[in-house]
Amino acid sequence: MKTKFSQKHSVVASILWALLILSFYFVSGAAIVITKATSTHAMLIRAICVFAACLPPIIYIWRSTGSFSDYGFTKLKKAEVKKVLFFLPLIVVDVVPIFSGFKADNQVSFILATLACTLCVGFAEEIYYRGIILNILKLKGDRFAIIGSSVLFGLGHLMNIAGGANVAYTLLQVFFAFFAGIVLAEIVVITNNIVVAMLWHFLCDFLAYTTNDGSLLFNLVGAVIQTVVLIAFFIYLYIVIERLRRKNLQRA
């Protein structure tokens, strides 16, 4: 039986998948600059490009195995939800931006465009990083897959610099994305469910676009709270995974 390229060169294949989704973001960024789009139109352009980015992984899964359950599209079980503390730490992370309040100039058209964009982003980035890439890297073990997929996810946010984003702020995004990626990957490994990660990712991005930026002090305190929660949750989930691994070894 012929060995798949992703099985023989799992790291290279993972990088190629990461570059693929970034190429769609590059196209959307270029289109926004060329058309001099307003904030609402920019969101719609991103939504269209990211929606297109969803097609390659869907086609890949359908043609390779046909089983989306292998990539986390499964029903949650109560025992698994309990192991990840009912996702409460993730809820805490998402709640923090709400305390800065929602933007007063949010128009219905902008909110709807942002809703469409962030839903597409949540689905696309999770199916790429916590779906296909995590699945490919699992050939080298769960720990390698969790760290590897998170590194690629974090580094992917460096592309924001090309879009004119502040370097210091972008580096903070990379740092946050790395730890968020680890936590989401751990949750997918434990629960074998990617849908919750998609929903959290969508909500996190949606709130980032629709809430006020807040003062420097608020942003600093909020970032510290979110980071501490993510790191603590990451350590807890790591312990859970190690316990499950030892149990599996004993059964074997």
Side-chain angles (χ1 to χ4, degrees):
M1 185 176 177
K2 189 176 180 180
T3 304
K4 291 182 180 180
F5 176 81
S6 60
Q7 294 174 324
K8 192 175 181 180
H9 306 284
S10 58
V11 174
V12 175
S14 298
I15 293 173
L16 290 176
W17 276 106
L19 290 175
L20 178 59
I21 187 173
L22 290 178
S23 69
F24 284 94
Y25 284 125
F26 178 81
V27 170
S28 71
I32 290 169
V33 172
I34 292 171
T35 60
K36 297 179 180 179
T38 63
S39 57
T40 299
H41 289 155
M43 281 294 177
L44 288 174
I45 291 172
R46 288 193 192 99
I48 293 170
C49 290
V50 181
F51 178 81
C54 296
L55 300 179
I58 290 174
I59 294 172
Y60 171 81
I61 294 172
W62 178 64
R63 294 195 64 180
S64 60
T65 65
S67 177
F68 283 83
S69 62
D70 293 339
Y71 293 85
F73 292 90
T74 59
K75 186 178 180 179
L76 279 172
K77 297 178 182 178
K78 187 176 180 179
E80 294 170 343
V81 173
K82 187 177 180 180
K83 288 174 186 174
V84 296
L85 302 179
F86 301 95
F87 310 106
L88 290 177
L90 288 182
I91 295 173
V92 171
V93 172
D94 262 352
V95 164
V96 171
I98 296 178
F99 287 99
S100 67
F102 289 91
K103 294 177 181 176
D105 58 347
N106 280 336
Q107 297 181 350
V108 175
S109 58
F110 176 76
I111 292 175
L112 291 176
T114 303
L115 185 66
C117 179
T118 50
L119 278 170
C120 288
V121 169
F123 182 90
E125 293 194 4
E126 291 309 312
I127 199 171
Y128 272 87
Y129 291 101
R130 257 69 65 181
I132 290 178
I133 292 175
L134 182 68
N135 199 283
I136 290 174
L137 293 179
K138 275 186 178 181
L139 294 170
K140 294 182 176 291
D142 285 347
R143 280 179 287 188
F144 185 89
I146 290 169
I147 297 297
S149 61
S150 302
V151 168
L152 291 175
F153 181 58
L155 291 177
H157 287 72
L158 284 174
M159 190 175 179
N160 293 336
I161 295 176
N166 179 274
V167 175
Y169 178 73
T170 300
L171 291 176
L172 284 174
Q173 274 191 316
V174 170
F175 181 78
F176 179 82
F178 172 70
F179 279 105
I182 287 180
V183 168
L184 294 176
E186 287 176 323
I187 288 174
V188 172
V189 168
I190 294 170
T191 65
N192 192 34
N193 182 283
I194 198 175
V195 178
V196 171
M198 289 177 172
L199 292 174
W200 181 83
H201 197 143
F202 143 69
L203 185 58
C204 187
D205 286 349
F206 181 76
L207 291 175
Y209 284 116
T210 57
T211 55
N212 292 313
D213 294 333
S215 64
L216 178 61
L217 178 61
F218 175 85
N219 291 335
L220 181 61
V221 173
V224 169
I225 292 172
Q226 289 177 312
T227 303
V228 169
V229 170
L230 281 176
I231 293 176
F233 198 27
F234 142 63
I235 295 171
Y236 169 79
L237 294 175
Y238 176 81
I239 293 171
V240 172
I241 291 174
E242 283 300 297
R243 286 175 180 171
L244 292 174
R245 185 181 67 83
R246 285 195 292 268
K247 284 183 180 179
N248 290 332
L249 287 174
Q250 289 173 357
R251 289 173 184 172

